[in-house]
Amino acid sequence: MSRSHLFSLRPGHAIREACVQEPYSPRRFAKDVMAGITVGIIAIPLAMALAIASGVAPQYGLYTAIIAGVVIALTGGSRYSISGPTAAFVVILYPIAQEYGLGGLLLATVMSGVLLLIMAVMRLGRFIEYIPEPVTLGFTGGIAVVIATLQVKDLFGLPIAAMPEHYWGKLAALVQAAPSLDAMSTLVAGVTLAIMLLWPRLKTPVPPHLPAVIVGSVLALWLNSQGASIDTIGSRFSYLLPDGTSGSGIPPFLPEFILPWQRAGADGSPLAVSWNLIQALIPAAFAIAMLGAIESLLCAVVLDGMTGKRHSANSELLGQGLANIIAPFFGGITATAALARSAANYRAGAESPVSAIVHSLVVVLALVALAGVLSYMPMPAMAALLLIVAWNMSEAPKAVHLLKTAPRGDLVVFLTCFSLTVALDMVIAITTGVLLAAVLFMREMAQMTRVTDISSNQRVTQANLPAGWQVFKINGPLFFAAAERIFGELAALSKNARGFILYMDGVTLLDAGGLSALNKLLAACKRDGTRIIIADLQYQPLRALARAGVAPVNGVSQFTPTLADALVQAGEH
């Protein structure tokens, strides 16, 4: 491994890059502190809501923001990114938490962190650019639908003990429980949602979900005092104190170091680690790693566009990998860069990753000092908050624009990814979408490759092409999807020719499939006594022919650097 390769993977790229460009001054530190406080306040209810949506207690979302937020700030590759639990992971983490408990979820997160480290060492950061937009829009839209569906239960206070595993089962359970709607829960959710939608019109720097959650909490507290039974964090979640007594809501303690596999499994007892369990979690860990890479790098790309800076993709993967290995030992669930919080961080005046560290310290302060207050947050208000998060992550306007303007192939990819994400599984959706997009792209590229008879072209006729000779021009890549068709057409066009020139200045690519088809053509020419002159090869096809050992055959084939030389050679024959 080269010295430059090692340097590109050193932790703290964003901090080094920020310091190299401009010395870190007290003024910049003050701006980072203010931005960190702003984003920290934003992150507190979001982290709890996303943990609940992922199937675990709210404090684990706070632990994630604290531990992963600091680790990624110190080791990542994007100076403005704020990391923590994100909505995109809900569809993956919720089924894991239901089947394997918190311990299984944390173990899968550690495994995903290892995969992210491997991706960083293999320098795969830039490969994320090869995922087509219809694929990302399809699976993010599908994730948003699933998240929104999961919030319906708490939005309306429906009495559903446990949601079914599959999407259609969830819909059926919600429809069956609809007559049992709780009016007071619906009122709290409606008020919270209305404030979040109307607040931006005031054009204040205060983010809308803060006043919305505060008003929703006060309203729920008053309604409960009047005899309503609206679920809150305090009424739904509890924890054990060191003396064996239990408390309600969020424990006002810093996260403890506990091995992930010593946490509770689905049955409430410590997780029993086995090879079978690890094998069962590998697909989930792979899905977490892939989605984490996509989310964090897309976030970094968007921030680059906003700021004019450049991130280090492989350093970002390294930071994400380290965070997802370390955070589970302190109870943190899966983390990645969050675009909404990262954009808010930049708009609040952040100068460096120090703001992300300050954001984590604000979450620590809230956990220790305000745990009792946070327990009053009502579940309908949290569900309304997540409903807006789902809408924002869906990028619905962009998806609608794609549906109106994109080519048919992109529409097929988008609808396939969206449908599979909702109905089956995100891993299946992304894999199918990428493969389908690749196949459609190859088909379009193959259709662009054409062979044309240019024997009547002025350049050719002026050279007095001998009788019985033809000139054919190939335009486009000669790869496996196009080569057999092109050379089949060529064989048919040159069936009665004494010889022909193959003009290949428009061929940019020749792969193994193209080589095989070309060798078949050369063999047919040798068998039939037809001469062939191949002219004007570009660098890649020439190198491919050289590596394959394709050489001129006396009396059958030869190669010339230009079409003019080929015409001279044809005249001599």
Side-chain angles (χ1 to χ4, degrees), residues 194-204 206-208:
I195 294 174
M196 292 185 70
L197 294 173
L198 297 174
W199 187 264
R201 297 185 181 183
L202 300 178
K203 301 186 183 303
T204 70
V206 180

Side-chain angles (χ1 to χ4, degrees), residues 110-272:
V110 172
M111 293 165 61
S112 73
V114 173
L115 291 174
L116 284 165
L117 284 184
I118 293 172
M119 292 167 66
V121 172
M122 295 178 65
R123 301 175 63 83
L124 299 181
R126 291 298 174 189
F127 279 85
I128 214 72
E129 298 171 358
Y130 295 99
I131 298 180
E133 185 176 52
V135 174
T136 57
L137 283 178
F139 78 75
T140 53
I143 290 170
V145 169
V146 175
I147 292 173
T149 304
L150 289 172
Q151 305 320 305
V152 173
K153 171 180 174 292
D154 286 331
L155 276 171
F156 300 108
L158 301 179
I160 302 175
M163 293 291 280
E165 180 181 355
H166 300 292
Y167 183 76
W168 305 117
K170 292 181 176 69
L171 285 183
L174 292 171
V175 171
Q176 290 175 1
S180 303
L181 172 148
D182 182 71
M184 296 299 100
S185 295
T186 305
L187 175 62
V188 171
V191 169
T192 305
L193 198 57
I195 294 174
M196 292 185 70
L197 294 173
L198 297 174
W199 187 264
R201 297 185 181 183
L202 300 178
K203 301 186 183 303
T204 70
V206 180
H209 73 271
L210 290 181
V213 170
I214 291 172
V215 171
S217 299
V218 172
L219 177 60
L221 182 62
W222 180 76
L223 290 172
N224 281 339
S225 69
Q226 301 300 309
S229 56
I230 301 169
D231 261 356
T232 64
I233 288 177
S235 67
R236 182 170 295 186
F237 298 99
S238 62
Y239 58 91
L240 286 176
L241 294 167
D243 60 3
T245 58
S246 63
S248 61
I250 299 172
F253 312 120
L254 293 176
E256 295 181 281
F257 179 89
I258 300 175
L259 297 176
W261 44 90
Q262 290 182 350
R263 300 273 185 175
D267 59 358
S269 58
L271 189 69

